[in-house]
Amino acid sequence: MTTDNQVTQDPTSSAPTEKIVVRHKAYFLKKKDYPGLSLISFCLLLLIWELASRRQWVPPLFLPAPTAVLAEGWAMVQSGVIFKHLLASLSRVLWGFLIACSLGLVIGLLIGSFRFFEAIGNPIIAAAFPIPKIAILPLLILWLGIGEAPKVAVIVLGVFFPMVINVYTGVKNVDPLLIKAALSLGSTRTRIIRKVIFPSILPMIFAGMKLGMGIALLLVVAAEMVGADAGIGFMIMNAADLMQTKKLMVGLVMLSLLGLFFNGLFQRLERIVIPWKK
Amino acid sequence: MRVLIEKLTKQYLDRRGLATEALEDINLVVEENEFVVVVGPSGCGKSTLLNLIAGLISPTSGQVVFEGERSRTQPQTAMVFQDFALFPWRTVYKNIVFGLEERRASLSEQRETGQKYIQMVGLQGSEQKYPHQLSGGMKQRVSIARALAMDPLLLLMDEPFSALDAQTRTLMQYELSRIWEETRKSFLYITHNIEEAVFLGDRVVVLSRRPGRILDIVDIDLPRPRGEKLSLEKAYLEYVDRIWQTIKDQAKEALEEKGDDYR
């Protein structure tokens, strides 16, 4: 600072030959990679958990060791019990998910594309969306009995809303220039929905599917805790009642794996279906 | 086939319900195979004029009439947009045949016509690329090919090169001039660039500021094919100067008022 001042205060002296090398000020914006850190930290967490359980820092009845959970899981695979529960939950999730996604897509396109349907649909959706779907489950059981129907129905309700809202928002945000371009190239209104709007909103559809699957897993577990004799939710509830903590944990791990599986599946599907995405 | 633009007027209503006139009493005839360029300062309703002719908005009064013979499949207009308006999920080829698909042309016709215009605009080898893989100049070639493939009675171009850098723009002007000589279609081209207007047009229509009125129509009597040496010729420069003198004061007004008046 002081040297700077001296230079400016004394313009008569010849220019100083001081060299200032430009310093890279934005170095912290450069992204660094930490290869392998994710894996190491994850394994470390498991290791601490294993130790905590083995050394009895925490009673194993409350927190069984990862290896013990794994062994329990393997035993359930061998006996086949695990598949019974998995299939029961999966079929509920998939049915509910498929029905909800189809409905959400069609209705979202309709209310997004036509003012008529928008006027009808918007207030209904706005009023029904905030209700936690689990709160509707008792009503659904009252209407549909205690079989599969209310469980699938509650998933349909849960997945439908994120889907329909995503599709609707997508339609509303389609680049109007592309619609004008299609019009000037001779497209009719229905053709525009199919050839411009639908491909435009594909990323939003996938976002809705990912969101919806998370909700579907949440709801299937909740629904199976009331009046079911199979399913991951039933398994968890049942294990808790019998203090079978290991079995309970197996259920939690299954849910985590299911979530990861569907996320990976959707991501891969997205890359295939949307090849133009940068 | 001629295009008659008769007493075309367009008013917009603002939020308070007051009418602002965008175009006032435009009378113009685009003759068969003619390259007409409309030039004007910003806010003169150039784009409004194109949208009216394309049927994308409706006029307050007046009309646009296509007069003469045409084949049954020929649409009246096809538009080339300033920001390309390519469909990002379609490859170059698929973008170009979009209009043909919409009028249910056979696959072989699509392939034949598509190939023809891919050749014409010099996109061979890029057929399977997606728009995001192309430069601005390439994108605009796709857009031009897509519009030409429709074989419209009148090709509308809305400042097609103003999103491009200056050098690409100059090259694209040469290209377009060549394409017009190859196709000899009726072109209606909109720009705010006077040099571009004189370089491309058979006739230049000079519009005033809002409300857009025709100030002058200049016949550009310069030989074709027009190439890069044209911009050095005296006759060319005189046309440019004449149009600039007509437009100058209007452009100044636009510069001073734009902020509160426009948009």
Side-chain angles (χ1 to χ4, degrees), chain A residues 89 92-94 96-97 100-101 129 131-134 151-166 207-224 255 258-259 262-263 266:
Chain A
S89 292
R92 287 165 190 148
V93 165
L94 290 182
F97 187 75
C101 284
F129 175 57
I131 305 174
K133 300 305 164 295
I134 309 172
K151 297 181 184 66
V152 174
V154 79
I155 294 170
V156 170
L157 281 177
V159 180
F160 169 76
F161 285 98
M163 195 65 187
V164 79
I165 288 168
N166 262 28
M209 279 165 65
K210 285 178 197 163
L211 251 151
M213 186 48 83
I215 293 172
L217 289 177
L218 183 131
L219 286 175
V220 78
V221 171
E224 284 167 352
L255 288 171
L258 270 180
F262 280 116
N263 218 23
F266 291 155

Side-chain angles (χ1 to χ4, degrees), chain A:
Chain A
M1 214 49 195
T2 47
T3 53
D4 274 0
N5 285 341
Q6 279 167 5
V7 171
T8 49
Q9 275 167 6
D10 189 9
T12 53
S13 77
S14 63
T17 54
E18 190 186 358
K19 286 183 192 167
I20 302 170
V21 178
V22 174
R23 219 162 43 84
H24 179 35
K25 291 176 199 157
Y27 63 93
F28 55 85
L29 292 177
K30 273 178 87 178
K31 286 186 187 119
K32 269 179 259 173
D33 276 336
Y34 296 96
L37 183 62
S38 321
L39 190 70
I40 293 168
S41 59
F42 189 71
C43 291
L44 207 67
L45 180 73
L46 284 180
L47 197 73
I48 294 170
W49 177 1
E50 181 81 32
L51 270 174
S53 183
R54 289 237 178 146
R55 293 280 168 90
Q56 306 258 335
W57 298 340
V58 186
L61 186 63
F62 291 121
L63 188 70
T67 48
V69 174
L70 201 69
E72 176 73 22
W74 180 240
M76 289 173 76
V77 168
Q78 279 181 322
S79 68
V81 194
I82 204 168
F83 298 114
K84 187 184 94 182
H85 294 304
L86 183 65
L87 281 179
S89 292
L90 261 186
S91 83
R92 287 165 190 148
V93 165
L94 290 182
W95 275 115
F97 187 75
L98 280 177
I99 295 170
C101 284
S102 325
L103 275 177
L105 180 61
V106 172
I107 294 176
L109 279 173
L110 282 177
I111 60 170
S113 309
F114 299 97
R115 283 285 157 78
F116 178 79
F117 293 110
E118 188 176 9
I120 299 172
N122 252 356
I124 300 175
I125 289 168
F129 175 57
I131 305 174
K133 300 305 164 295
I134 309 172
I136 308 179
L137 185 61
L139 184 66
L140 290 171
I141 292 174
L142 211 66
W143 286 350
L144 303 166
I146 46 166
E148 290 301 294
K151 297 181 184 66
V152 174
V154 79
I155 294 170
V156 170
L157 281 177
V159 180
F160 169 76
F161 285 98
M163 195 65 187
V164 79
I165 288 168
N166 262 28
V167 171
Y168 171 76
T169 314
V171 175
K172 286 286 159 190
N173 285 311
V174 171
D175 186 352
L177 184 64
L178 293 182
I179 293 175
K180 261 171 107 178
L183 278 173
S184 99
L185 293 164
S187 296
T188 58
R189 196 168 181 185
T190 44
R191 300 274 289 175
I192 284 176
I193 293 180
R194 193 159 78 76
K195 295 185 77 173
V196 180
I197 292 177
F198 181 70
S200 289
I201 62 168
L202 272 174
M204 290 298 277
I205 293 177
F206 271 98
M209 279 165 65
K210 285 178 197 163
L211 251 151
M213 186 48 83
I215 293 172
L217 289 177
L218 183 131
L219 286 175
V220 78
V221 171
E224 284 167 352
M225 286 180 170
V226 205
D229 52 10
I232 300 172
F234 163 78
M235 189 182 115
I236 288 173
M237 204 60 185
N238 193 244
D241 287 343
L242 303 171
M243 285 297 271
Q244 295 170 326
T245 330
K246 283 185 281 186
K247 202 172 166 189
L248 191 155
M249 296 283 249
V250 171
L252 298 185
V253 172
M254 278 166 76
L255 288 171
S256 162
L257 289 178
L258 270 180
L260 286 173
F261 168 75
F262 280 116
N263 218 23
L265 181 76
F266 291 155
Q267 234 147 32
R268 193 152 302 177
L269 214 61
E270 194 174 1
R271 241 173 280 145
I272 297 168
V273 179
I274 314 182
W276 64 85
K277 218 178 168 188
K278 275 165 247 182

